[in-house]
Amino acid sequence: MSEDMSSIGRWSTLDRLHRQIETRVERRLDRHLGLQPREFYALFALRAEAPAPAHQLHLSELADRIGLSRSATSRLVGRLRDRGLVATRTPWHDRRSVEVRLTPIAHDVLRLGTPLLDRAVHDAVEDAGTGDIDRGLLDYLRGVQGAKPPPGPPLPDSGNTVAVPQSCTTESMERRG
């Protein structure tokens, strides 16, 4: 019984830390890029998982990579397509599938957003170090991203913004309709 409680306690700690990191990531991505974490992760997956230079995956492959259902991924891809971040096409040989690829704007967003996201995770892990988070877990997370902050200027939550093309921002999407 105590081993189960220990496992539950460790899982609870990991879940709490995940929520803290996710909250920090969500705020930074929204403030600086006008994106939700799942939207950014989808772009990141297309760049990382899809063969270059096309950076193209089938919708079902993308769904598997980001851990969403196909219908949720389809809606997410629709939002990204409407914002000019991905392009889709239906192959002539299989009218049931959809291919998703990054646009040049998405490459710019990823170039700007990756260090932003890395810094948000780094900051959240460092902040967690002052709490009751397991030292082994913190050491692991620090080892994955390095003990030093990632290169680049600090990006505090207090208003620094990244220059993202207007077609990508939430405000521009609301104005368009």
Side-chain angles (χ1 to χ4, degrees):
M1 176 96 166
S2 66
E3 186 175 314
D4 287 341
M5 291 306 290
S6 177
S7 295
I8 292 169
R10 285 192 308 272
W11 172 249
S12 177
T13 299
L14 178 60
D15 184 49
R16 186 173 69 247
L17 178 59
H18 176 264
R19 282 184 274 120
Q20 290 170 356
I21 292 171
E22 191 72 16
T23 298
R24 174 93 42 117
V25 164
E26 186 174 341
R27 273 191 251 127
R28 294 262 176 101
L29 286 174
D30 181 52
R31 178 173 289 124
H32 298 286
L33 297 175
L35 292 173
Q36 296 176 6
R38 288 284 186 188
E39 293 169 335
F40 187 84
Y41 298 152
L43 298 176
F44 192 83
L46 281 165
R47 183 181 66 188
E49 306 283 335
H55 295 289
Q56 175 177 297
L57 289 174
H58 285 95
L59 184 73
S60 59
E61 294 172 314
L62 181 59
D64 291 343
R65 303 276 191 321
I66 61 174
L68 291 177
S69 69
R70 288 187 178 129
S71 63
T73 302
S74 180
R75 289 188 301 273
L76 182 143
V77 164
R79 289 191 308 271
L80 293 173
R81 185 185 55 235
D82 292 346
R83 296 175 74 182
L85 296 169
V86 298
T88 60
R89 77 175 191 96
T90 303
W92 64 269
H93 63 280
D94 183 0
R95 306 304 276 165
R96 294 173 296 155
S97 70
V98 174
E99 296 172 342
V100 183
R101 70 173 171 78
L102 294 173
T103 65
I105 294 171
H107 287 284
D108 290 341
V109 168
L110 285 163
R111 183 179 49 78
L112 297 169
T114 300
L116 178 78
L117 183 63
D118 192 45
R119 184 62 187 216
V121 172
H122 180 272
D123 291 350
V125 169
E126 288 304 308
D127 289 350
T130 62
D132 63 340
I133 303 297
D134 177 76
R135 290 283 125 203
L137 175 60
L138 287 173
D139 289 345
Y140 172 76
L141 292 170
R142 287 177 178 139
V144 167
Q145 63 185 21
K148 296 179 182 175
L155 296 169
D157 282 320
S158 63
N160 286 351
T161 59
V162 176
V164 175
Q166 178 129 0
S167 62
C168 298
T169 64
T170 305
E171 292 170 359
S172 67
M173 291 306 299
E174 290 170 356
R175 282 194 298 267
R176 288 197 320 209

